[in-house]
Amino acid sequence: MNDSLNQTKQQIAELRRLLEDYNYQYYVQDNPSVPDAEYDRVMRELIALEQAHPEFQSPDSPSQKVGGQALSVFEQVEHRVPMLSLDNVFSDDELKAFEQRIFDRLKNNQALEFSCEPKLDGLAISILYRNGKLVQAATRGDGRVGENVTDNIKTIRSIPLKLRGDNFPAELEVRGEVFMPKAGFEKLNQQQKENGGKVFANPRNAAAGSLRQLDSKITAARPLAFYAYSVGYFEPEDNIASSHFARMMQLKDWGLPVCPVIKKVTGCQQLAEYYQWIGEQRNSLAYEIDGVVYKVDSIELQQTLGFVARAPRWATAHKFPAQEEITQLLDVEFQVGRTGAITPVARLQPVSVGGVTVSNATLHNADEIERLQIKIGDTVIIRRAGDVIPQIVSVVEEKRDDAELTDIVFPTECPVCGSHVERIENEAVTRCSGGLICGAQLKESIKHFASRKALDVDGLGNKLVEAFVDLEMIKTPADLFKLTAEQIAQMERMGQKSAENLVNALEKAKQTTLAKFLYSLGIREVGEATANNLALHFKTLDAVQTANFEQLIEVNDVGQVVAEHIVSFFAEAHNQTVIEDLLAAGINWPQIEVVSADEQPLKDKIFVLTGTLSTMGRNDAKAYLQGLGAKVTGSVSAKTDYLVAGESAGSKLTKAQDLGIEILTEDDLTALLTEHGVL
Ligand code: IVH
């Protein structure tokens, strides 16, 4: 090989090594070492070199994540060690019984060590590495024989094509779950809707559907992820650890992603605590889980305990209460929201789902009704997840009785005010065109106006707002300030004292900030952070009102759609009148100091945010900091000025501490933002 070719070969090897390292930092250590743009640049460079030099192509190159030739069928793969399933427990008593059965079999009552991990809601996969290279991957199938999905598995970004280090067994079968993170699922369904494709009922179906594709290019385009949760067959035996938890740490060292909330505990009480702990985090996890799994940690004890039927005696799943139930759709009503959006709401035969009685579910919009092909009278599967409004997953076709069904007809007039409804092309939402003459929109606008993050009027509950509007005592938000204590005292459940309190609260609410005032107006798509950025950017209400489209899109986090909403809001004469009336009522705020871009207080300071913030979303925090001139990046490096560490901050915090970077708590951040007039 000539020198220049040799050089290219080395260059390719170096780029591959770099990308493997970036992948490991990102997927396994959960600590990106370079920005996405840098990753993409290196990847493009590698692909260009590989294309120019096909002789150096390699099936384990990190560039091989795009899928290849489509198959006509999946081959069958026989598992060398059967892939088992798990028994379930649903209560603390059943959990105790699980522990007791183990004690009985071991003839020993000593508290045992368990490895605990979430039960991921995806599908089980077996991946075989031979001499560190991914050679085969198969689905669980019936546990004995599965399908060969190697090409598809190779497209999943977090699954390494090559293991790291050199002390892994020559033959190593890794087992784990392929799943679709919640955000990826939402995005995929959105795209599928836009392209008229199949919309998936839940992330598990989406993961399964994406993996069982004969064309691996389709799988490559789907946002799949993987966590390893056990070791299957391996050979030789020398280097493998003797406890489950230690094995998982080995898999991590070898480059396989393992769920970061895995924990080793002792005894049944701590298992219950783990269940509780994960339950609390469930909604904020990036992926769906349906319980937790406990595994006796010692492999020796696992072998002693063995299996019964198709499940191990040494492990069990502790399931969260069911989130799906079957019930009947009794009727559909149409609700009008603050921006006029008309939402069909399903009235259901009440049913208990995971301990909560559900009698309503959202049907979102006309497309959703079309997608579900649902009719009044249908038997439906409903799903309740965390605090979100219950959803209808699907219709149970087998239980359909055509004679008993009625079509759902979307209204052509607003069910509240009778104004005509409009649906803009390519938008899913149907809206009432009535604006504030629509009682429903008025009620919601006033609730929003008085809400905590807006003008924060203490003591103005939703029921009271509704009554004021129904009695036509209020026609715009400005009318709130004309109410007298005598008028308020006559309302149901209001006395003289609470009426006076409300008048005082309204008086107090007049003293606000420009950002809160902008937010309170309820301009479409203008949330708290955007309102803040508008205020910081323009400094005065007048400047915001007169800004044109081009000036608006200059503002941090204001895109084209938001800019259009802002322009059309202020162009509306009615809105101008409301604003004038509000100012005339005495609403005021402190003048924002005018600083040039060079004088922005956090100009060019580099921040990294990690962990969960309790008082604001991470995106809001990011927008606030950017509004003060800071740069917010995803990874900690020597250039980082500050790391903001929220709840359960992980490896980024450790890295920042190692580098001696200044760490801010959430309280420090709030103080900083308050100091600069943002909060
Ligand atoms: S261990 C012998 N760990 O649950 C033990 N399974 O009901 C075999 N699953 O098919 C499985 N998360 O797809 C294990 N952390 C976890 C899991 C998990 C999800 C799934 C897996 C399996 C099913 C068993």
Side-chain angles (χ1 to χ4, degrees), residues 327-330 348 372-380 395-397 399-402 404-406 408:
T327 188
Q328 203 187 11
L329 176 64
L330 302 178
L348 306 164
L372 291 166
Q373 292 283 307
I374 187 172
K375 290 176 197 262
I376 294 167
D378 261 329
T379 301
V380 293
V395 170
V396 186
E397 301 267 352
K399 299 218 172 176
R400 228 173 195 186
D401 176 358
D402 285 333
E404 302 288 317
L405 300 178
T406 326
I408 300 170

Side-chain angles (χ1 to χ4, degrees), residues 565-619:
H565 287 316
I566 298 172
V567 170
S568 59
F569 181 88
F570 289 114
E572 183 75 50
H574 172 80
N575 291 331
Q576 289 294 349
T577 316
V578 172
I579 291 172
E580 279 162 26
D581 289 351
L582 288 169
L583 297 179
I587 291 191
N588 69 96
W589 51 85
Q591 176 70 38
I592 299 174
E593 270 176 57
V594 179
V595 282
S596 69
D598 294 346
E599 293 166 28
Q600 281 179 316
L602 301 179
K603 186 166 164 53
D604 294 338
K605 291 278 181 251
I606 301 180
F607 280 73
V608 174
L609 304 170
T610 188
T612 315
L613 300 175
S614 59
T615 56
M616 65 186 98
R618 255 207 253 173
N619 277 342

Side-chain angles (χ1 to χ4, degrees), residues 84-86 117-120 124 140 177 229 293 295 312 314:
L84 303 163
S85 62
L86 289 167
E117 42 201 87
K119 186 163 192 299
L120 304 153
R140 175 171 180 271
E177 198 88 343
Y229 59 58
V293 183
K295 301 170 184 172
W314 45 265

Side-chain angles (χ1 to χ4, degrees), residues 244-357:
H244 175 78
F245 188 85
R247 284 186 178 181
M248 292 303 104
M249 296 306 116
Q250 281 187 312
L251 292 184
K252 256 180 100 162
D253 283 344
W254 295 333
L256 287 147
V258 171
C259 184
V261 286
I262 182 171
K263 211 166 173 171
K264 200 157 111 172
V265 309
T266 308
C268 192
Q269 173 62 30
Q270 289 186 4
L271 294 179
E273 285 166 16
Y274 181 82
Y275 175 80
Q276 176 78 20
W277 181 62
I278 293 290
E280 285 160 11
Q281 294 185 59
R282 184 180 186 187
N283 288 336
S284 52
L285 291 177
Y287 39 86
E288 292 276 2
I289 60 173
D290 56 356
V292 296
V293 183
Y294 311 129
K295 301 170 184 172
V296 169
D297 195 44
S298 150
I299 303 290
E300 199 188 328
L301 290 183
Q302 287 186 1
Q303 282 161 353
T304 311
L305 288 162
F307 304 89
V308 58
R310 308 187 57 218
R313 287 197 188 90
W314 45 265
T316 195
H318 193 171
K319 291 288 228 19
F320 294 130
Q323 293 195 304
E324 289 188 359
E325 266 309 333
I326 288 188
T327 188
Q328 203 187 11
L329 176 64
L330 302 178
D331 198 4
V332 173
E333 284 171 19
F334 294 87
Q335 267 177 9
V336 185
R338 175 166 63 82
T339 60
I342 298 181
T343 309
V345 179
R347 303 288 177 219
L348 306 164
Q349 179 68 42
V351 60
S352 168
V353 191
V356 174
T357 303

Side-chain angles (χ1 to χ4, degrees), residues 442-668:
L442 178 59
K443 284 175 187 171
E444 295 311 310
S445 300
I446 290 174
K447 288 178 198 168
H448 174 80
F449 178 80
S451 65
R452 200 174 50 77
K453 292 177 183 170
L455 287 215
D456 193 14
V457 184
D458 221 19
L460 183 63
N462 288 349
K463 288 266 174 307
L464 196 54
V465 170
E466 285 166 19
F468 284 142
V469 172
D470 288 338
L471 295 169
E472 298 190 13
M473 291 164 72
I474 294 184
K475 295 211 172 63
T476 83
D479 290 343
L480 274 176
F481 298 100
K482 296 183 191 145
L483 294 170
T484 62
E486 288 67 40
Q487 281 175 304
I488 300 171
Q490 283 172 16
M491 307 296 288
E492 221 172 292
R493 279 193 294 274
M494 290 297 276
Q496 190 60 33
K497 185 74 197 135
S498 40
E500 276 163 23
N501 287 347
L502 180 54
V503 171
N504 290 338
L506 281 161
E507 196 53 39
K508 191 164 148 232
K510 288 180 184 171
Q511 179 65 47
T512 183
T513 64
L514 175 57
K516 289 188 173 191
F517 182 70
L518 287 171
Y519 174 72
S520 77
L521 295 174
I523 306 167
R524 272 180 62 195
E525 307 282 340
V526 176
E528 228 190 331
T530 309
N532 246 300
N533 288 340
L534 288 169
L536 281 172
H537 185 95
F538 291 107
K539 319 285 184 223
T540 67
L541 175 61
D542 198 49
V544 184
Q545 279 182 292
T546 50
N548 61 25
F549 179 84
E550 282 72 28
Q551 291 164 325
L552 285 165
I553 55 174
E554 294 275 292
V555 181
N556 251 326
D557 133 72
V558 174
Q560 306 204 351
V561 176
V562 184
E564 273 170 24
H565 287 316
I566 298 172
V567 170
S568 59
F569 181 88
F570 289 114
E572 183 75 50
H574 172 80
N575 291 331
Q576 289 294 349
T577 316
V578 172
I579 291 172
E580 279 162 26
D581 289 351
L582 288 169
L583 297 179
I587 291 191
N588 69 96
W589 51 85
Q591 176 70 38
I592 299 174
E593 270 176 57
V594 179
V595 282
S596 69
D598 294 346
E599 293 166 28
Q600 281 179 316
L602 301 179
K603 186 166 164 53
D604 294 338
K605 291 278 181 251
I606 301 180
F607 280 73
V608 174
L609 304 170
T610 188
T612 315
L613 300 175
S614 59
T615 56
M616 65 186 98
R618 255 207 253 173
N619 277 342
D620 288 342
K622 184 174 171 183
Y624 290 145
L625 290 167
Q626 286 172 338
L628 296 171
K631 293 205 170 72
V632 181
T633 65
S635 56
V636 176
S637 76
K639 291 194 195 132
T640 310
D641 292 300
Y642 299 98
L643 178 97
V644 178
E647 186 78 11
S648 347
S651 50
K652 287 188 195 175
L653 174 59
T654 325
K655 185 164 178 193
Q657 284 164 336
D658 289 347
L659 291 171
I661 287 160
E662 188 166 342
I663 315 285
L664 303 182
T665 61
E666 183 167 354
D667 285 346
D668 297 334

